[in-house]
Amino acid sequence: MHPDWFTSTSTSGREAVPRAGRWAPARRAVSALAAAVAFLGAIPAAAQQGASEATIAGIVTDEADMPLSAAQVRVRGGGQGALTDEAGRFRIVGVPGAVGASVTLEARRIGYRLTTLTARVGDQDVRVRMPVSALSLGSVVVTGQAGEATKRELGVSVAQVDASEIVDRGTVRDVQTLINGRAPGVTILQNSGTIGSGATVRIRGASSFSLTNQPLIYIDGVRVDNAQGTGPLNQGFGASTTSRWNDINPNDIESVEIVRGPAATTLYGTEAANGVIQIITKRGSVGAPTWDLSVRQGITQFADPEGRLWTNYAEIEDAAGNVIDTASLDQVDRYADMGTDIWTNGHLQTYSLGLGGGSSAYRYYVSGNLQNDRGVERVNKQRLQSLRANFGLFPSAQLDVSTNVGYVWGRTELPFEAGGGGTTWTTYYATPANLGTVRDGFYSGLPEAYHQQYQSWQDIQRLTASVQVSHRPISWFSHRLTAGTDQGTEDGHEVAPIHLDLEPFFGTDATEGYHEIFFRDVALHTANYSATAAADLLPGLRSSTSIGGDLYLRTTQRIYQYGRRFPAPGVTAINATTLGREAEQTVEEHNTVGAFLQEELAWQDRIFLTLGVRMDDNSAFGKNFDRVYYPKASLSWIASDESYVRIPFLTTLKLRAAYGESGQAPLPYAAVPVYQAAIGFGNTAAVTPLSLGNVDLGPERGFETELGFDAAFLGDRAGIEFTYFFGGTRDAILEKQAPPSSGFPGTQLVNGGKLERHGMEMLLRGTPIQRERTALDLSLSLSTNETEVVDLKGSEFIVPSTNIRHQVGYPVGSWFGKRVVGATRNDDDTADEVFCDDGQGGQVACSAAPPVYLGRTTPNLEGALTANLRVLENLQFSAMLDWKRGYKKLDGNRRVRCFLFYLCRENYYPGEFSDVVAGEVSSSGHVSGYVSDASYTKLREISATYTLPAEWAQMVRAGAVSISIAGRNLHTWTNYSGLEPEASFQGGSRGFGQWEQNVTPQLRSFVTSIQMTF
């Protein structure tokens, strides 16, 4: 049943919504943050007042006595605790007991062994040394459970990324870069090297045929917009799209937790089948105010364009149209010889300032960030400003209140990189036929002409806020309420002003001009409540029963406006256009309400059995589909705690198993009949059918089983986390033709498809060298992923995108097309009759050949190797190699050059090439000629970090100072025929598969960063 307040609505029309005053609340939020920063000037005195309370203070270091930040230090059995600052210092206030009494401290940090030691109340110089641990079962996880849990309790695999240490090296500019290579099973497909662009993120491959495959994102317990491709150029044919992931400042992130499938995401319910990424921002620590300053400066560059781009060919004709020669052109080399670079070095710069501190009654963390980056085209820029204020209040030992507020605003300016223009287009497809003309060898316009004619940008303003109240009224009962909002407004524009002098390049775009506006406003509201009651049922058997519910409300408004033909040069306002003006507005609401019940039984703190179920209702379900239930079950057994389990060299062994389900809701309004406005009889307003809907439509249901183990050996100096998963999606949503008798055109969405997937994930960590002044840490991650289309409700295949099929018996989203296997030759060596694979082991004339399977669109094997070497205590080197295997991309550059524009050498000298190549270039319909293996290995990162000795840092009155020099995207090993094995389209009509065409490749960058703590 759907109550009125829970039902989706939609509007569409031809006029825009006024925007005046839209961001008054955001402006008030910024003012509030500024006031909060000013207020913190009074905090030092308050912090000093806490000194009179019973305290314990000290420092946390690793075994080489290097300070460890973000370590959790708590009093066992009391709940009092603190986080260490950048210098490793902590201060716990309000410690129970008289001065001099003994207490036990526990220190936790990702990548280090849980460490306990005895201290005395009042001690101010406690020193905690934490050994590196390849397996941290004591680390706390907040994702995927009803409340906090340690990893030893979990029957599923949860990846944790320690953000602060990685970000300090200077190579990370966004969340996607932070995750890449550090969480097995999480695939990051970078789409473009354009500054401000994003990546496609998938967890354990594809789970849907027609819905999104993007994971959910939470920030401090609140669901946020996870759009990976937006912006003015997302509507068409290219990769210059912005990503809402870029709004999150990495300098504010403390850690990231990733749950990777339905077995782990059951409690998140509908929309969580693709996995969940939880971002946890920084908190203040008890003690005097601590300032953290970070400065990053660097360059980014189009690496070796002279060596990577192609020589193009063309036939030169005389005035009568007779061919007189075949000429070649390498436009990049030619312009370099003239002293002009088509692409220049971009400037990267970031400035971050944070302030944290607190007492037993409160803690705070406030920060500001400015990111001002330029790309390799002078029109490509991104300037983002962000503010964050996190506060925690602790009025009693039973009550915690925390608030988290983040605000970001700025502009991203994108180069024109569409299917028919831009610097990449005109340079990649430069032709000798245009030498001596106004185009000077470029295919269309000069690069500087594109920069002058087309302006594309997106403004963003986004507020994310949450409040969490945790209450423990009695020892056996606790409950928690989380509420928050994520509100963002994108204002995207693409403008072509009048430039009469550019008419030879751009025609009416230059003589008339146009203006397009892409406006998107998203508001997400989250409310979550959970309660847990714990009891000892028997000696050694503890029960924890949790109940809860949540509500997610999402409203999305889109406005599109267009007009062309400005009345005069210099006029660009859309209301000044005089031709083709149009406007559209849509408003969508997508809401979910759910409840869950979970029971955990713990035996002797080494066997943990968890059972649970979640019920959901969603506004996009059909009226005949009432609600959905998702079960879960998991088992964790710390086998090494058993007296009878004794394995040489093994210090810890955890076995785990889990089964769970979660789902994905249909698109808004897919279940209800939809009509569109029309002009009726006598020029009156009317409506006409648009889509039929389906009253029986329900969610897609993801199901998955996980089996795995975690083990540590050689005294915790080496460890492995291994997971095998298998499952899939049933009731997948498909399109079928609407019945003609219904009066509705087009298709109708129905449940009925099924896909299966399986794979493994492994993370191997080790410290082969551990000495007083030298240590080497290694980490190897590997993952595989296989998918198969099982059922399409009677259909053999469906085609979601050009040359892509979901076909029964093949991987989800496979390449299909004609594969050339041979050809006969004419006297001039060009192909005469071309033969293609007939799909049955033989060959047939390509004109009669069927499309055949050519390969996967996503990797089925990927991994990363990272190394951290510390020498002489203060110097650390880090490096990362990552790789992807087993997939193919459509090389659109070869498609355009060889098959459409006739620019390749094989077009003019076919005798130098095989019969297959000659046959492939004879027709653009021979897809196998431009679908190529895209496997690669990249030297992704190298960095060196020097931490100044304490006495040097004190010379500038700093507690700690470190300097890093880093490089990113330094080298690629690949057999891919195209320019960049990672580059791909983010959206548009070719967004499902990996498709590269006139895309800026991944850029090489070098960065120097300085971190200072005061």
Side-chain angles (χ1 to χ4, degrees):
M1 298 295 293
H2 300 293
D4 291 342
W5 62 268
F6 193 62
T7 303
S8 298
T9 59
S10 175
T11 62
S12 61
R14 307 285 296 179
E15 60 185 50
V17 172
R19 304 181 199 171
R22 172 180 299 275
W23 275 98
R27 295 189 187 98
R28 288 195 294 270
V30 175
S31 299
L33 288 175
V37 174
F39 171 76
L40 291 175
I43 284 183
Q48 292 301 317
Q49 292 174 5
S52 62
E53 303 176 6
T55 63
I56 296 178
I59 187 172
V60 178
T61 69
D62 62 12
E63 290 186 303
D65 288 330
M66 295 299 295
L68 292 177
S69 62
Q72 297 179 348
V73 185
R74 293 182 179 274
V75 177
R76 176 180 289 178
Q80 297 80 8
L83 284 174
T84 58
D85 61 19
E86 293 296 326
R89 297 172 301 199
F90 71 91
R91 188 164 179 267
I92 304 175
V93 182
V95 180
V99 173
S102 295
V103 296
T104 300
L105 299 182
E106 296 180 341
R108 289 182 170 89
R109 191 180 191 275
I110 299 174
Y112 291 82
R113 187 187 306 167
L114 171 65
T115 302
T116 62
L117 79 162
T118 300
R120 295 185 180 277
V121 178
D123 286 353
Q124 301 297 301
D125 56 357
V126 175
R127 195 169 194 89
V128 184
R129 300 183 70 188
M130 299 189 69
V132 172
S133 175
L135 185 65
S136 302
L137 295 185
S139 60
V140 176
V141 175
V142 301
T143 303
Q145 298 296 111
E148 288 187 354
T150 60
K151 292 190 73 172
R152 69 185 288 117
E153 302 172 53
L154 301 181
V156 294
S157 172
V158 176
Q160 293 181 295
V161 179
D162 183 4
S164 56
E165 181 179 352
I166 299 168
V167 172
D168 286 350
R169 299 172 194 160
T171 60
V172 171
R173 296 201 335 258
D174 51 58
V175 174
Q176 294 152 319
T177 304
L178 173 64
I179 296 172
N180 183 56
R182 297 181 173 94
V186 182
T187 302
I188 310 291
L189 299 170
Q190 301 287 346
N191 295 301
S192 172
T194 301
I195 294 295
S197 64
T200 298
V201 181
R202 291 183 178 176
I203 298 177
R204 292 181 176 172
S207 65
S208 179
F209 299 129
S210 57
L211 302 179
T212 179
N213 285 289
Q214 298 176 185
L216 296 180
I217 303 180
Y218 284 73
I219 298 180
D220 297 323
V222 171
R223 188 181 296 186
V224 300
D225 185 12
N226 63 343
Q228 295 178 359
T230 71
L233 296 183
N234 183 50
Q235 311 301 315
F237 190 92
S240 284
T241 63
T242 58
S243 171
R244 293 285 58 86
W245 294 52
N246 292 341
D247 301 337
I248 306 165
N249 177 16
N251 288 284
D252 287 337
I253 299 175
E254 181 177 297
S255 63
V256 179
E257 296 180 358
I258 304 169
V259 291
R260 287 173 281 209
T265 61
T266 297
L267 293 191
Y268 290 95
T270 301
E271 300 179 88
N274 299 319
V276 175
I277 297 177
Q278 177 85 255
I279 296 170
I280 302 159
T281 59
K282 291 181 178 179
R283 305 290 190 269
S285 56
V286 175
T290 300
W291 293 87
D292 297 321
L293 174 66
S294 173
V295 177
R296 176 177 66 101
Q297 294 284 330
I299 63 168
T300 189
Q301 54 191 208
F302 191 131
D304 188 27
E306 299 89 348
R308 296 168 67 187
L309 294 184
W310 314 273
T311 297
N312 290 341
Y313 296 80
E315 291 180 339
I316 307 302
E317 300 178 348
D318 59 19
N322 299 313
V323 176
I324 59 175
D325 195 10
T326 297
S328 63
L329 172 65
D330 187 327
Q331 190 75 328
V332 176
D333 272 342
R334 176 171 171 263
Y335 262 64
D337 291 342
M338 294 188 297
T340 302
D341 291 324
I342 298 174
W343 292 280
T344 60
N345 291 341
H347 183 199
L348 306 176
Q349 52 183 329
T350 302
Y351 308 92
S352 296
L353 181 63
L355 172 63
S359 71
S360 61
Y362 63 87
R363 295 169 201 165
Y364 59 89
Y365 172 79
V366 179
S367 71
N369 180 78
L370 169 64
Q371 178 179 326
N372 191 6
D373 294 339
R374 291 176 176 263
V376 294
E377 292 189 53
R378 64 179 177 85
V379 295
N380 181 205
K381 310 170 187 176
Q382 184 177 52
R383 182 183 176 91
L384 293 177
Q385 297 91 198
S386 64
L387 295 173
R388 172 158 292 278
N390 293 346
F391 295 91
L393 299 176
F394 312 94
S396 71
Q398 291 76 38
L399 181 63
D400 304 340
V401 180
S402 63
T403 61
N404 308 280
V405 181
Y407 181 64
V408 61
W409 72 101
R411 171 171 290 191
T412 301
E413 299 181 38
L414 301 168
F416 192 76
E417 195 174 88
T423 297
T424 51
W425 177 271
T426 197
T427 304
Y428 292 177
Y429 313 132
T431 172
N434 285 340
L435 289 171
T437 72
V438 67
R439 290 183 170 85
D440 195 26
F442 290 98
Y443 182 81
S444 45
L446 303 177
E448 57 267 29
Y450 274 107
H451 297 162
Q452 183 180 1
Q453 178 62 46
Y454 297 100
Q455 303 165 18
S456 178
W457 74 90
Q458 183 192 82
D459 291 329
I460 177 68
Q461 299 186 75
R462 186 174 182 183
L463 174 69
T464 304
S466 67
V467 59
Q468 184 177 100
V469 181
S470 299
H471 186 213
R472 300 168 296 278
I474 49 182
S475 61
W476 56 268
F477 178 78
S478 64
H479 56 151
R480 181 183 64 189
L481 174 66
T482 303
T485 185
D486 179 47
Q487 301 185 48
T489 294
E490 304 167 356
D491 191 5
H493 296 254
E494 184 176 310
V495 181
I498 292 178
H499 291 110
L500 298 178
D501 57 321
L502 300 182
E503 179 184 11
F505 302 130
F506 309 122
T508 57
D509 281 1
T511 59
E512 296 182 354
Y514 68 83
H515 191 158
E516 282 185 286
I517 296 178
F518 306 89
F519 179 84
R520 178 174 174 264
D521 185 279
V522 179
L524 287 89
H525 306 292
T526 300
N528 173 275
Y529 173 81
S530 64
T532 300
D536 292 323
L537 303 181
L538 296 170
L541 179 62
R542 186 164 183 81
S543 166
S544 297
T545 304
S546 300
I547 61 171
D550 45 41
L551 176 68
Y552 303 108
L553 307 177
R554 179 186 181 111
T555 302
T556 303
Q557 178 182 215
R558 295 181 178 90
I559 298 174
Y560 171 76
Q561 295 175 288
Y562 174 82
R564 66 177 303 112
R565 189 182 290 173
F566 297 115
V571 179
T572 59
I574 197 166
N575 62 355
T577 58
T578 59
L579 183 68
R581 291 176 65 176
E582 58 180 291
E584 297 179 3
Q585 176 194 3
T586 62
V587 179
E588 296 176 353
E589 294 182 3
H590 201 189
N591 308 320
T592 300
V593 62
F596 66 84
L597 172 66
Q598 176 177 287
E599 172 66 27
E600 181 186 273
L601 298 174
W603 173 252
Q604 298 290 343
D605 197 34
R606 59 176 179 265
I607 299 178
F608 305 89
L609 174 65
T610 303
L611 302 172
V613 64
R614 179 184 169 100
M615 180 277 291
D616 266 0
D617 199 1
N618 184 277
S619 59
F621 295 167
K623 68 179 183 180
N624 290 348
F625 190 96
D626 194 12
R627 59 183 60 90
V628 63
Y629 295 88
Y630 303 112
K632 67 171 290 187
S634 69
L635 179 66
S636 171
W637 177 34
I638 314 302
S640 54
D641 284 357
E642 304 288 358
S643 59
Y644 53 84
V645 177
R646 290 292 178 264
I647 303 176
F649 310 111
L650 189 69
T651 54
T652 305
L653 175 63
K654 169 187 169 182
L655 304 178
R656 48 184 166 80
Y659 174 83
E661 298 182 9
S662 57
Q664 188 164 192
L667 296 175
Y669 322 124
V672 297
V674 177
Y675 298 81
Q676 63 180 348
I679 299 176
F681 179 76
N683 205 33
T684 59
V687 295
T688 185
L690 180 61
S691 62
L692 176 58
N694 180 359
V695 295
D696 298 316
L697 193 63
E700 298 186 336
R701 296 185 61 126
F703 60 96
E704 190 169 80
T705 299
E706 275 194 19
L707 302 173
F709 67 89
D710 305 328
F713 41 94
L714 299 179
D716 275 357
R717 290 178 59 180
I720 182 172
E721 300 177 21
F722 179 86
T723 301
Y724 176 74
F725 65 90
F726 57 95
T729 303
R730 58 177 178 269
D731 296 332
I733 293 176
L734 307 170
E735 291 185 357
K736 74 170 186 178
Q737 188 66 38
S741 59
S742 68
F744 284 82
T747 60
Q748 178 187 39
L749 296 184
V750 298
N751 296 105
K754 183 178 181 181
L755 66 89
E756 293 180 350
R757 62 182 184 177
H758 67 272
M760 74 87 184
E761 294 154 357
M762 183 183 72
L763 180 60
L764 180 63
R765 295 190 182 99
T767 307
I769 301 175
Q770 180 70 61
R771 299 172 184 166
E772 184 176 352
R773 297 170 62 86
T774 306
L776 174 63
D777 298 327
L778 298 175
S779 176
L780 172 66
S781 70
L782 287 173
S783 64
T784 64
N785 178 54
E786 298 285 352
T787 63
E788 181 181 347
V789 180
V790 177
D791 186 16
L792 294 173
K793 204 173 178 64
S795 298
E796 181 185 357
F797 64 86
I798 55 178
V799 181
S801 184
T802 306
N803 301 120
I804 303 291
R805 283 188 180 185
H806 303 312
Q807 181 156 328
V808 174
Y810 291 88
V812 177
S814 294
W815 290 113
F816 273 79
K818 295 185 178 183
R819 178 190 287 121
V820 175
V821 296
T824 60
R825 303 281 190 126
N826 296 311
D827 292 341
D828 61 356
D829 283 327
T830 59
D832 180 15
E833 187 173 9
V834 183
F835 301 99
C836 286
D837 188 337
D838 66 358
Q840 300 177 356
Q843 65 181 36
V844 67
C846 285
S847 58
V852 297
Y853 174 71
L854 300 177
R856 300 166 51 98
T857 56
T858 54
N860 65 349
L861 172 64
E862 53 189 307
L865 175 64
T866 59
N868 294 289
L869 174 64
R870 185 179 64 249
V871 296
L872 303 177
E873 296 184 357
N874 289 26
L875 184 59
Q876 179 170 302
F877 298 95
S878 300
M880 172 188 283
L881 282 170
D882 66 77
W883 57 87
K884 292 180 173 63
R885 297 283 185 273
Y887 75 113
K888 294 186 176 182
K889 277 181 56 177
L890 193 149
D891 181 0
N893 293 320
R894 176 169 167 77
R895 170 180 173 268
V896 173
R897 291 178 58 250
C898 304
F899 297 78
L900 301 182
F901 291 173
Y902 217 62
L903 297 172
C904 293
R905 185 173 181 85
E906 45 265 50
N907 297 128
Y908 297 94
Y909 304 98
E912 298 178 5
F913 300 89
S914 68
D915 291 347
V916 170
V917 172
E920 286 173 341
V921 299
S922 66
S923 170
S924 62
H926 302 155
V927 178
S928 64
Y930 42 85
V931 171
S932 174
D933 180 22
S935 301
Y936 69 86
T937 299
K938 277 185 180 282
L939 179 54
R940 186 69 70 180
E941 299 174 3
I942 290 182
S943 68
T945 302
Y946 180 68
T947 301
L948 272 63
E951 56 271 22
W952 293 12
Q954 291 170 2
M955 297 173 114
V956 292
R957 298 186 178 180
V961 179
S962 63
I963 301 173
S964 296
I965 301 175
R968 184 167 180 83
N969 295 326
L970 299 178
H971 188 72
T972 303
W973 295 269
T974 184
N975 292 322
Y976 175 57
S977 64
L979 179 63
E980 168 61 70
E982 283 193 285
S984 185
F985 292 163
Q986 174 70 284
S989 61
R990 292 168 168 84
F992 191 94
Q994 291 291 95
W995 181 303
E996 173 194 5
Q997 183 173 306
N998 64 286
V999 175
T1000 301
Q1002 291 299 300
L1003 302 179
R1004 182 171 59 194
S1005 61
F1006 298 95
V1007 175
T1008 298
S1009 60
I1010 300 176
Q1011 314 287 331
M1012 303 181 70
T1013 301
F1014 298 93

